[in-house]
Each structure stands twice: as C-alpha cells, then as structure tokens.
Amino acid sequence: MMADLLNSSPSLVNFGIFFLLVTLFLFVVLGYVTYVILAERKVLGFMQLRIGPNQLGGKWGLLQTAADVLKLLLKEDIIPKLADKPLYIMAPAIAFAPSFMVIAVIPFTDNFYFADIGVGLLYYIAISGITVLGMVTAGWASNNKYALLGAMRGAAQMISYEIPLVMSAVGVILLSGSLNLTDIVNAQQNGWFMILQPIGFILFFISAVAELNRIPFDLPESESELVSGYHVDYSGFRFAFFMLTEYTYMFAMSALIVVLFLGGWLPLPFLGFIPGAVWFALKFSVVTFVLIWMRATFPRVRPDQLMEFAWKILLPIALANIFLTAIIKEIINLF
Amino acid sequence: MLRTEEMLLNVGPQHPSTHGVFRIVLKIDGEIIKEAKPVIGYLHRGTEKLAENLQYTQIIPYTDRMDYVAAMTNNYVLCHAVETMMGLEIPERAEYLRVIAMELNRVASHLVWWGTYLLDIGATSPFLYAFRDREMILNLLNELSGGRMTFNYMRVGGVKWDAPDGWIDKVREFLPYMKEQLEGYHELVTGNEIFLNRVKGVGVITQEEALQYSLSGSNLRSTGIKWDLRKDEPYSIYDRFDFDVPVQTTGDCWARYQVRLAEIAESLKILEQAVEQFPKDGAILAKVPKIIKAPVGETYVRIESPRGEIGCYISSDGKKEPYRLKFRRPSFYNLQILPKLLVGENISNLIVILGATDIILGEVDG
C-alpha cells in the first residue's frame, strides 16, 4: 500500500492521501505517549505497592494524562527574566522535531512505513542526535546553574552513548547486509538478531536506555541532584514538549529495537496466521514494559561512572562483537 | 581564548535531597566541589531557651520536635536527666515500655533513612517498601501513645499510657515480619552493582577524624570504633539484653549503610527479648510529686539515639523550670564533618555523602 503510494507519480491526490495517513499516524503516536505515561504510572504503582492514577476516567485513570496535558497547556507561560528569550522559546521545538522525524523510517509491517530509505538506520541515528542540541540550548538559555549542569551532562552522555549504540548495531548490519530497516527485518526470517547477535542486543539495549535518559542513566534530569536538570525552568506547554520528546523517543527506540533485534513484524513459528501488525505491537509492548520495569528497579549511576562505562566497557565489547561477527560470517560463507 | 571559572552553586534550602531545610553553598569547578559551606538555622526554634520558662513535663513535647523521626529517644533523654537529678526509681513495666518504644522507633528511624537514601541515589521503589513497614511501626506507636511522630509519651518517672490490651502480642507478631522484610531489603538493594559503585569508597572517614569531629552513632561505628552507649554505659534496662554492636572498618558510605541495616536486626533482637521479659502487671509511673522540681545542681546524661549520642544537660536552681537546659544533638555534631568530606567530590557524591550522614534538620537546628 505505502510502497505503491511512495512510488507513484506525485500528484495532489497522492499527496493528500499521504498527508492524511501521516496525520493519522501522528495521533497514534500521541495516543501512545498518552497511554505509555499512564501505563508507566500504573506499572510503577503496581511494583511500588501503590495504586497509581485511579480518579479520572474510571478506576484505571484512563483520562489522567489527558487532564495533565490540558493543565500544562492552560498554564501561564513563564519565561525567566534573565533567560535568553529567543533560544529559550526555540529549545523545546529543536528537541521535539527530530523525535517525530525519526519515526518516518520505521517499518511497522511489510507494507506500512512512511519512508523507505536505503540508509534508514543511519538516518535514525543522525536525526536523533539533533535532540541533544535542544537540550543544551534549553540548559543554556534558561540561565540557571542546575539547568546548565544538566545540559552538560546530557550532552556528554548522548555523545558518548551514540557511539556504542551505532557500534552494537554494526553486527546486525553485517548479518543483514543492508542499512535499510525493511531489509533488516526480512533478513531475520531464519532467526531474530536477538539470538544471532546476543552481545550486540544487550549492548544496544543498554545504550538505548542511556539515549532515552531513563533510570539508571537519567543523569541529565536526576531529580535528587539537579532538581530536574535542563528543563528545570520550563513550565506549561514548553515543559510538555520536553516530556513529549522523551516519550516519543521511547516510542521510536522501542520500535527500532523491535525492528533490529526482535524480527519486526515477523511471527513466531507456526503462528503466522496472526497479522504482522499484531506481532509488532506485541513485541513493541514488551520492550516498553521492560523499559518501565527497569525504572522501578535500578538506582542511578554517577556521571563519571557513566562515561567510563561507555568508553571503557561498552565500546571495546562492541568492537570485539563486530570483529567476531565478521569472522563467523566469513567462515560460514566458506562452506 | 577559552577559560573556565569556578561557579557558586546554592543547594537548598529548597532542594529535594537536603532532607529538609539544609542549605549548602558550593564552589564548583565543572562538577567538582572545591569548597562547601553549610548554612544551617532555617528550622531553629530556640528549644533550649523556651525550656527555661517551661515546667519539666511541658518540655517533653518540645523534644518530640527536635528529632521528629525518632522522638522516643528524645523524650527519654529529657526524662532520664530529670529522673537522675531527682534520684527516682522507675517501675519495671515502665522501663520495658520505654525500651520497646525506643527500639521500635529506632527501627522506624533507620527505615526512613534507608528509604530516603536510596531515593537520593535514584531508586524509587525501596522508599515505598520502607515506608510500608515503617507505617506498621507507627501504627503500633500510635496505639501506644496516640501520636504517629510526635509521641509525647514519656513522663518523668515513667510513661503516660499503659500498653493497650494485646499490644505486646501485636509487637511480637510484627518482629518476624520485619525480619523477613529486612532480608528482602538486602536482596533488593545490598547486592546491586550500581548501588555498590555509588557508595563504596565514597566519603571515607578515618577513626582519628571521627573522634576529632566528635561523631557518634553509625557514623562513628562505621570507622571501626565500637562505641554504643546502650552497651558501654548501659542506661534504663539495656544491660539485661543480649545484643551486638555492629561495626565496620572502612568508614565509607557503604560501611554506614551496612552498620545501619545491621542495627535494625540488633534492635529487633532487643525487642524480641523485651517482649518475652515484659512484666505482666505493675505501675507505669513512679511516685512523683504533682509539681516536679529538680533539686539544685546540674547533671548531664547521654543515651544512644538512632543518629548517635544524644545528651541532655540540666542546671537547676530548685525551681519548677530548669535554669538552663542544653541538648547535645547528634545530627548537629555529625554534620560538621561534611565540608571536609565534600572537597574534591562531584555533585552526585554530595547527595550520597550527605544522605549517609543521616541528619534530621529539626535536630541540627534545635
């Protein structure tokens, strides 16, 4: 369906259909963000002997996030007096825009995607790197020392973890022979890369958690040290944008993990009658749940330990993994 | 030309991890602390001055508000001081009630510390587990005294209320439950690699420093000095119980963590024995005059509170009110070493070191 649309000659109707689909999908992502926040609060509540939201929208609190967002949108817009005003206003947008752009390349099923780029994986990593600019801008523009410290930590962390993130995915690229995400999924017909690339998977997952700034790597906003880091001075809808960025990335990263390592929309053996979209959603939910689960379990690491971990442990293992994968692939090719 | 400069960072008095209204002015180079200057006094209420115009019984509620996490020991130190001056004989049952209340409170206090410490380090779940168990202790103390944090339970010569029917059995049932939970705490946190990396070798205090800075309680015992007033200068009926004084030798935050968790276990041991030996009946208040007047003279008593050595000095000129009253508040003394420990550490370690000191601002500011 999407392939035909993307390959068809550009016309007003085609553009209209495409635009409509994108808008629809935007609502899917926003719906995910709304309910993943609720799910996070409910799961955390369940793990921490609490109830979680249970007032708005029945006993499951189904309207809680909507109400929270409404509250943030209606809040007075406060800009600190000494803030760098243009940058302060721009920062949430800089951070937010790439989080939606990266979703374009993710293939949800074999015929539902918005862009079929040859270097999809590279595109994802390149675009997601822009968000750190938004963070640093926010930290600098608010003219607050805590925000500045948070932004600096954020910048250092994102740059450090982008490298093991890419390196751990190289094994997958070697095995599939392509950077195109659809091809990567199709290469997993005979076995998910989670099984063929166990080291790569673990490294990628750890780096992904660090990229998402979630516990145990939530240093840029560590609320017990830096109050809340780079967005400490933001309130109202600007703050909402930062939150939205964070959870949209959670969507994108969960999807990317499913595509790279969990076989995307491919079914488990003998269960092929269940549609691919359902498989994708299932795997996707599992990854999201694990991310929430980690938050309930781990303490936070220290900034210097975080850096050491990235450069001294993750990176060498990732490089060794690439080497090993390449050798094994060559040996198998010999026979 | 690139240049860097040191930055002043004001942490507190409103900050999530300064445990109240503690403020510390940091001079930082990047994230490394060059100098730390604590500023205290935001919660100063002048307890000692107020006490000069209050009768001895009226002072007791004020002591509740010093260390509000472990009010029972504060109650006790004041009553103990007045009793020592008057030479009162305390009834058996009252002594047991006091010890049970104090040890339950010690467990509750350490649970608060454990939960909030891990919250500072970024783990949110232990906090809620600790508070669930503390809640059970608070319910027990609530039944006993009518208060959940500020108990106002002890009186000169005994305690205010007798234990309600079946209360001792409830304590007896609680003890095995708490032991089981304690094991769970160890499983959840004690072996966690990230946690160990955060606390091991951080904020090391040597024995000499600990003595020079007059540290007490777990902070002192973490350096290897076996000093617990319950054992070394037994007061009340502590000489009747068999318990150990947990000691660690490394003097870092990890040692303090281990000492405190071991102390919970030891307190439970004392409680078990106290509940077994608890006298069936008897008075809960000694024969004290209606209006309590301490004889002319002065006295100083000290006991082991969850935070360390809490002392009470009373100088009396024979009136209903003390002429001068002074509390040695352990948090205040334990806090003094902080600026020394912080130099050269980064901001994340500030939280770890401050948290491990276990201060209560109501007690620091007096």
Side-chain angles (χ1 to χ4, degrees):
Chain A
M1 173 187 73
M2 289 304 275
D4 300 337
L5 201 62
L6 286 170
N7 293 330
S8 61
S9 57
S11 73
L12 215 56
V13 180
N14 281 347
F15 176 77
I17 296 170
F18 194 72
F19 189 78
L20 204 71
L21 282 170
V22 170
T23 317
L24 272 178
F25 192 69
L26 188 77
F27 281 102
V28 173
V29 175
L30 287 176
Y32 166 84
V33 171
T34 312
Y35 284 97
V36 81
I37 292 176
L38 181 72
E40 178 157 41
R41 291 171 69 175
K42 274 290 183 190
V43 170
L44 282 183
F46 169 68
M47 288 176 178
Q48 298 178 342
L49 318 161
R50 299 183 286 117
I51 298 167
N54 65 339
Q55 295 293 316
L56 264 172
K59 71 169 183 166
W60 293 98
L62 293 175
L63 292 176
Q64 182 65 48
T65 319
D68 288 343
V69 171
L70 195 68
K71 174 238 174 196
L72 285 174
L73 291 180
L74 295 177
K75 233 176 142 173
E76 186 191 349
D77 178 29
I78 298 168
I79 298 176
K81 210 173 184 177
L82 293 174
D84 189 330
K85 214 172 158 188
L87 285 182
Y88 185 88
I89 293 169
M90 251 159 64
I94 300 176
F96 167 74
S99 71
F100 265 94
M101 285 163 69
V102 294
I103 297 175
V105 287
I106 289 170
F108 296 95
T109 66
D110 44 2
N111 52 19
F112 187 70
Y113 45 81
F114 292 96
D116 192 15
I117 304 178
V119 288
L121 186 60
L122 273 188
Y123 168 87
Y124 181 102
I125 285 156
I127 297 291
S128 75
I130 297 174
T131 295
V132 73
L133 287 181
M135 268 167 65
V136 175
T137 313
W140 180 258
S142 19
N143 200 1
N144 178 309
K145 288 167 184 170
Y146 287 111
L148 183 63
L149 284 170
M152 288 303 159
R153 280 185 181 188
Q157 177 175 333
M158 298 275 258
I159 292 166
S160 307
Y161 275 83
E162 216 119 272
I163 295 163
L165 189 80
V166 179
M167 290 298 173
S168 53
V170 169
V172 170
I173 299 166
L174 280 175
L175 289 184
S176 63
S178 170
L179 279 166
N180 182 307
L181 292 174
T182 313
D183 291 348
I184 289 177
V185 174
N186 285 329
Q188 297 180 63
Q189 296 283 8
N190 299 323
W192 297 356
F193 286 142
M194 187 177 102
I195 298 152
L196 300 177
Q197 277 284 312
I199 303 168
F201 174 67
I202 293 166
L203 293 179
F204 191 87
F205 196 83
I206 294 172
S207 312
V209 175
E211 276 283 295
L212 292 171
N213 293 331
R214 291 180 64 82
I215 279 180
F217 304 109
D218 67 334
L219 298 171
E221 43 190 298
S222 47
E223 75 277 356
S224 60
E225 294 154 24
L226 302 179
V227 193
S228 74
Y230 63 92
H231 55 59
V232 65
D233 266 349
Y234 281 85
S235 68
F237 66 94
R238 296 188 210 285
F239 171 74
F241 263 76
F242 279 118
M243 289 309 277
L244 186 60
T245 311
E246 211 166 279
Y247 282 94
T248 312
Y249 266 120
M250 200 163 142
F251 178 95
M253 194 54 96
S254 304
L256 188 67
I257 290 172
V258 170
V259 166
L260 287 184
F261 291 99
L262 300 179
W265 60 86
L266 297 175
L268 284 172
F270 314 118
L271 290 169
F273 56 91
I274 300 171
V278 176
W279 280 109
F280 192 92
L282 257 175
K283 294 171 187 174
F284 179 80
S285 309
V286 170
V287 175
T288 305
F289 176 77
V290 173
L291 286 173
I292 296 173
W293 188 7
M294 285 178 79
R295 181 170 163 185
T297 318
F298 289 121
R300 183 181 301 122
V301 301
R302 209 167 59 206
D304 53 320
Q305 292 170 346
L306 179 95
M307 291 299 156
E308 265 176 35
F309 188 60
W311 293 102
K312 292 187 184 167
I313 299 174
L314 289 184
L315 191 57
I317 297 178
L319 290 173
N321 184 47
I322 296 171
F323 186 63
L324 209 71
T325 313
I327 288 179
I328 292 172
K329 196 184 172 190
E330 280 308 305
I331 291 172
I332 290 172
N333 282 353
L334 278 180
F335 298 104
Chain B
M1 174 75 185
L2 275 175
R3 99 197 141 82
T4 61
E5 62 182 61
E6 286 176 352
M7 180 163 90
L8 274 182
L9 183 70
N10 186 34
V11 181
Q14 281 97 26
H15 185 277
S17 293
T18 52
H19 296 268
V21 284
F22 178 61
R23 177 178 161 212
I24 187 161
V25 183
L26 301 175
K27 196 180 269 178
I28 50 173
D29 177 13
E31 280 214 30
I32 305 298
I33 297 168
K34 293 283 169 195
E35 196 188 324
K37 229 183 259 167
V39 184
I40 60 169
Y42 290 93
L43 204 57
H44 180 63
R45 291 147 301 180
T47 311
E48 288 166 10
K49 186 67 189 168
L50 283 167
E52 288 171 18
N53 292 313
L54 294 168
Q55 296 180 14
Y56 289 106
T57 316
Q58 289 175 319
I59 304 172
I60 298 170
Y62 283 85
T63 63
D64 283 335
R65 278 135 186 99
M66 283 197 315
D67 182 352
Y68 38 76
V69 178
M72 283 292 181
T73 41
N74 299 21
N75 277 189
Y76 181 77
V77 75
L78 178 74
C79 296
H80 186 42
V82 182
E83 285 156 8
T84 311
M85 288 187 95
M86 295 171 74
L88 280 177
E89 189 75 28
I90 314 300
E92 279 277 283
R93 196 176 164 89
E95 289 280 30
Y96 275 100
L97 279 172
R98 280 178 171 187
V99 166
I100 293 172
M102 282 195 287
E103 290 308 316
L104 278 177
N105 209 179
R106 190 186 308 275
V107 176
S109 164
H110 280 343
L111 285 180
V112 172
W113 173 81
W114 185 76
T116 51
Y117 189 51
L118 282 148
L119 194 62
D120 286 350
I121 294 181
T124 43
S125 300
F127 175 74
L128 289 132
Y129 296 142
F131 269 58
R132 170 192 58 185
D133 299 336
R134 172 178 180 256
E135 193 67 23
M136 302 181 106
I137 299 178
L138 290 191
N139 284 340
L140 286 172
L141 292 176
N142 189 7
E143 273 184 52
L144 189 65
S145 68
R148 284 167 48 82
M149 280 179 85
T150 49
F151 307 109
N152 190 15
Y153 179 59
M154 309 216 183
R155 291 292 180 273
V156 176
V159 293
K160 175 68 181 164
W161 314 100
D162 201 351
D165 286 342
W167 187 78
I168 291 293
D169 294 326
K170 280 185 192 166
V171 177
R172 192 177 284 134
E173 279 164 29
F174 170 75
L175 297 177
Y177 165 81
M178 187 61 224
K179 270 189 179 164
E180 203 186 307
Q181 290 301 318
L182 196 60
E183 272 169 36
Y185 293 175
H186 280 298
E187 267 173 41
L188 180 65
V189 177
T190 308
N192 187 303
E193 198 63 33
I194 299 174
F195 174 71
L196 290 181
N197 275 324
R198 287 299 299 270
V199 292
K200 266 190 182 165
V202 173
V204 178
I205 306 174
T206 63
Q207 281 195 8
E208 292 78 49
E209 278 169 0
L211 292 173
Q212 280 165 2
Y213 281 85
S214 168
L215 300 187
S216 54
S218 317
N219 291 305
L220 179 68
R221 288 191 285 273
S222 73
T223 64
I225 298 172
K226 204 169 184 163
W227 178 254
D228 188 322
L229 290 169
R230 290 176 295 174
K231 204 79 170 177
D232 295 301
E233 280 181 15
Y235 52 93
S236 190
I237 47 168
Y238 276 108
D239 47 353
R240 297 183 195 176
F241 305 118
D242 170 42
F243 65 98
D244 292 329
V245 179
V247 182
Q248 291 289 330
T249 47
T250 43
D252 53 4
C253 295
W254 170 233
R256 270 161 260 167
Y257 173 91
Q258 284 173 301
V259 166
R260 288 210 177 91
L261 280 195
E263 273 177 26
I264 296 181
E266 293 305 317
S267 283
L268 293 175
K269 224 193 254 176
I270 296 176
L271 278 166
E272 268 172 359
Q273 296 168 44
V275 168
E276 281 318 309
Q277 298 171 13
F278 190 71
K280 287 256 172 336
D281 41 23
I284 54 156
L285 200 61
K287 288 208 162 29
V288 282
K290 266 242 162 71
I291 291 168
I292 294 160
K293 286 180 183 166
V296 182
E298 51 180 27
T299 192
Y300 176 73
V301 297
R302 49 182 187 172
I303 64 161
E304 190 74 25
S305 99
R307 260 149 275 286
E309 190 176 315
I310 186 166
C312 179
Y313 166 83
I314 295 177
S315 170
S316 166
D317 49 5
K319 294 209 185 89
K320 295 178 293 197
E321 303 93 2
Y323 174 72
R324 172 82 173 90
L325 188 132
K326 156 98 185 136
F327 286 109
R328 184 205 190 271
R329 309 181 307 269
S331 293
F332 176 73
Y333 288 82
N334 291 345
L335 187 59
Q336 292 184 95
I337 200 168
L338 187 70
K340 186 175 187 310
L341 293 181
L342 288 183
V343 174
E345 302 283 356
N346 67 19
I347 293 178
S348 297
N349 278 355
L350 157 73
I351 307 304
V352 174
I353 294 170
L354 178 67
T357 317
D358 190 16
I359 52 162
I360 296 293
L361 262 295
E363 196 176 55
V364 171
D365 291 341

